[in-house]
DNA sequence: ATAAAACGTGCAATTTCGTGCAGAGTCAAG
DNA sequence: CTTGACTCTGCACGAAATTGCACGTTTTAT
C-alpha cells in the first residue's frame, strides 16, 4: 500500500490507517506497521495501546486483532440464564395483550422474554435481534418482523442507517428494552453509540417503553446515552431487588413491576 | 485448511485456530498442528496446556479434546447428523476469497457453510437468515449484514417487499443458494412463493450463483420456480452422488464441485 | 518387555513490551 | 518575540513473552 510520501501523516490518520489494515487483513503486526509507515515501533505500540483502550481493537503480543472479547462471552452468557432474568422475562411477557405490535430488544434478557411468551399468543413482534427471531420460530400465531442492518456482534443486533430506517416504518404498542446501565439521573445507557441510536429510535416509535432491569444494571452507567428516564413508562425488576436501589425511581412517574 | 501465508500468525490467532479446529472436528492432534502451522511440537503443547488451564479444552495424550463431555457430544452429533452437508459447506467455504461480498441463503446446508468458514476469513457476508447471522458472531473479521423483513418460519428467513428492497442495495460476488428442488430442465424450485422471490432477487444481484445441492434435492421439484439452471454457474454436490444424477448437468455450462 | 512417541521442565536466544526521559514541534498568552 | 505548557516522537533499558532445544520421564503400542 502506498502511503503519503510528501506531507506528514497525522497521528489520527495513522490510527485510521491501522484500523483500516486491521479490517482488511484481520490482523496487524507492530513491526510490519513501523516499517510500512517508517516510524519507530514505540509509536506504533502507543497507537495500538490507545486504540485498544478505546475498544477499537484487541491488543496481543506482536500486534493486534479485531476487537471481539465478547465473543465467547455471549455464547456463555446465553446458556446460563439466571433465575432472575427468567422471572423478568415472564413478568414482561404477561404485559402483552393479544394483537399488539411489540418491539423486543437484543441481549440475553430479551431472549429470555421471547422464551417466556405464552405459546398461543397472537401478536406481531418486531426485533433487530436475530437471536430473538430464531427463538420465535416455534410460535405459530406470532408474526415476526426482522429488522435488518449491519450486525453489531457484541450484542448480536442489527444497527446502522438501514436498521433505523426500517424501525421508522413501525408504531409499536410496547418496546421491551434492555440496557447495560440504568441510572435515575443519567438515564439509560449502553456501550455502543450505534446501538444507542437504534434503542432511541425504537423507544420513540413505541407507545410505551418497558425496561428490563436485571439487578446488576441498576445504578450503573455506560458511555452512550439512549434516553432519559422521562421517556420510560415502566421498569421490570427482580423480586428481591433492594428497596434502596429503587427509591429514586418511585418518585418518578414510573410503573415498577417486581417479577 | 488454508492459513495466512504472508504475515506471521500471532500467538493468539494460533490459539483461536486450535479452538476452531477443535470445534469443527471434535479433536486436535499436537503433531498434526505443529506440521500444519510449521512450529515445534513444544510450542503447540504449550498452547494446549494454556488453553486447558483456561478450561477451553481438555488435554489428552497426543492432543486435546473439547472441554466438557456435553460439548463433545454436541459437536459429535452435528458432524454425524449432517456429514454430507458439512462436506458441501466446507467445499463452498473454500470458494470464498478475501474481501469478497457473499450472499448466504437460509436453510440447514447454509448454516453448515457458515460453520465451515475459515476462522480468519476477511469478508462481508449478507444474509436474510437470522440463524446464519448468529453463527457468524464468532468470526471477528467478517462483517455481517442482516437483511430484514417478515420472518418466514418454515425456512427461518426474512422475506417480503422490504427484504427484496434491501437485497437490491447489494452487488455480491457469490450467492450460495439452497433449494428444495434441483431439476435439470425445470430449474431450481422451492416451496413458498415469497421465498422464491427472495432467492431470485439474490441470484440476480450476485455475479455468481453457487447451488448447495445435497443428495435428496437432486432431481426433485417444488411448486415455485426460483430460476432456471441458466442462471446458475456452479453446483456443489456430495462426493458420492451417483453419476447418473449429474449426467444432465455435465452437458450444461456449469461447474460441478464434488465435496 | 521393549521401542517409539509424547510429555514436562529447565534453559538460552530472540523478540516484544512498558516506562522514563529527552528533543522537536505547536500553540497561545504575555 | 519570547516563554511556558503541551503533544508527539524516538531512544534506552529492564521486564516479560515467545520459541526451540536438550534431557529425563511417562505413556502408548507392538
Amino acid at each position: 500500500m502506498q502511503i503519503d510520501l510528501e506531507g506528514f501523516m497525522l497521528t489520527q490518520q495513522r490510527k485510521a490507517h491501522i484500523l483500516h489494515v486491521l479490517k482488511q487483513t484481520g490482523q496487524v503486526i507492530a513491526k510490519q506497521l513501523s516499517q510500512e509507515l517508517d516510524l519507530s515501533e514505540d509509536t506504533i505500540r502507543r497507537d495500538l495501546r490507545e486504540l485498544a483502550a478505546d475498544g477499537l481493537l484487541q491488543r496481543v503480543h506482536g500486534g493486534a486483532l479485531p476487537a471481539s472479547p465478547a465473543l465467547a462471552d455471549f455464547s456463555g452468557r446465553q446458556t446460563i440464564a439466571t433465575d432472575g432474568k427468567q422471572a423478568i422475562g415472564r413478568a414482561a411477557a404477561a404485559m402483552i395483550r393479544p394483537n399488539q405490535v411489540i418491539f423486543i430488544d437484543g441481549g440475553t434478557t430479551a431472549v429470555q422474554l421471547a422464551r417466556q411468551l405464552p405459546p398461543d399468543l397472537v401478536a406481531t413482534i418486531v426485533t433487530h435481534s436475530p437471536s430473538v427471531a430464531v427463538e420465535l420460530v416455534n410460535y405459530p400465531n406470532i408474526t415476526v418482523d426482522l429488522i435488518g442492518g449491519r450486525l453489531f456482534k457484541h450484542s448480536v443486533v442489527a444497527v446502522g442507517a438501514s436498521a433505523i430506517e426500517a424501525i421508522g416504518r413501525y408504531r409499536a404498542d410496547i418496546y421491551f428494552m434492555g440496557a447495560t446501565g440504568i441510572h435515575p439521573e443519567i438515564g439509560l445507557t449502553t456501550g455502543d453509540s450505534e446501538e444507542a441510536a437504534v434503542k432511541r429510535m425504537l423507544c420513540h416509535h413505541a407507545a410505551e417503553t418497558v425496561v428490563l432491569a436485571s439487578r446488576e444494571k441498576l445504578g450503573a452507567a455506560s458511555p452512550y446515552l439512549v434516553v432519559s428516564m422521562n421517556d420510560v413508562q415502566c421498569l421490570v425488576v427482580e423480586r428481591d431487588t433492594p428497596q434502596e436501589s429503587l427509591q429514586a425511581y418511585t418518585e418518578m412517574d414510573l410503573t415498577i413491576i417486581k417479577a
Side-chain angles (χ1 to χ4, degrees), chain A:
Chain A
M1 173 166 313
Q2 193 62 23
I3 306 301
D4 194 345
L5 290 172
E6 329 185 28
F8 284 101
M9 183 175 240
L10 297 165
T11 306
Q12 209 153 336
Q13 284 179 304
R14 190 176 61 236
K15 287 188 182 178
H17 177 254
I18 292 175
L19 288 176
H20 181 255
V21 172
L22 182 61
K23 189 151 192 125
Q24 288 298 315
T25 65
Q27 62 164 197
V28 284
I29 293 162
K31 188 171 193 173
Q32 223 171 63
L33 280 173
S34 78
Q35 292 171 355
E36 182 183 336
L37 302 176
D38 196 30
L39 287 169
S40 75
E41 291 184 40
D42 302 69
T43 302
I44 300 298
R45 273 198 289 269
R46 252 183 289 253
D47 289 344
L48 294 181
R49 249 177 287 170
E50 288 164 16
L51 290 169
D54 291 347
L56 271 47
L57 51 76
Q58 183 194 351
R59 194 66 226 285
V60 300
H61 197 91
L65 295 173
S68 61
L71 126 184
D73 194 29
F74 186 83
S75 44
R77 273 182 303 173
Q78 203 159 25
T79 52
I80 48 166
T82 64
D83 292 344
K85 290 188 179 181
Q86 253 180 39
I88 289 180
R90 197 158 33 237
M95 299 177 65
I96 302 175
R97 295 195 295 187
N99 294 305
Q100 283 190 322
V101 175
I102 306 292
F103 284 149
I104 296 187
D105 212 341
T108 54
T109 315
V111 170
Q112 280 304 313
L113 164 53
R115 290 198 181 132
Q116 303 290 340
L117 293 172
D120 54 352
L121 178 66
V122 180
T124 297
I125 292 192
V126 183
T127 183
H128 62 309
S129 158
S131 317
V132 169
V134 170
E135 285 293 331
L136 296 174
V137 166
N138 294 315
Y139 293 82
N141 301 322
I142 293 182
T143 300
V144 181
D145 273 21
L146 184 63
I147 301 290
R150 180 174 54 79
L151 194 69
F152 174 54
K153 291 178 190 164
H154 176 82
S155 308
V156 197
V157 290
V159 298
S162 61
I164 299 276
E165 186 205 26
I167 293 165
R169 302 202 196 106
Y170 293 92
R171 289 283 160 182
D173 295 299
I174 311 181
Y175 167 34
F176 291 104
M177 175 162 68
T180 58
I182 303 168
H183 191 283
E185 288 151 28
I186 299 174
L188 301 158
T189 51
T190 192
D192 180 79
S193 68
E194 288 277 2
E195 195 181 3
V198 170
K199 284 175 187 288
R200 194 157 41 239
M201 188 74 178
L202 287 163
C203 182
H204 291 158
H205 279 254
E208 185 180 358
T209 295
V210 177
V211 176
L212 308 173
S214 55
R215 198 183 297 108
E216 74 274 19
K217 316 285 178 62
L218 284 169
S222 291
Y224 297 96
L225 180 69
V226 178
V227 292
S228 75
M229 295 304 295
N230 292 333
D231 285 318
V232 175
Q233 282 75 44
C234 179
L235 221 57
V236 183
V237 302
E238 297 174 40
R239 176 162 298 281
D240 55 354
T241 304
Q243 186 57 36
E244 59 266 29
S245 302
L246 301 175
Q247 191 59 50
Y249 304 100
T250 55
E251 298 155 11
M252 309 174 75
D253 186 17
L254 207 59
T255 307
I256 297 182
I257 295 180
K258 297 193 177 183

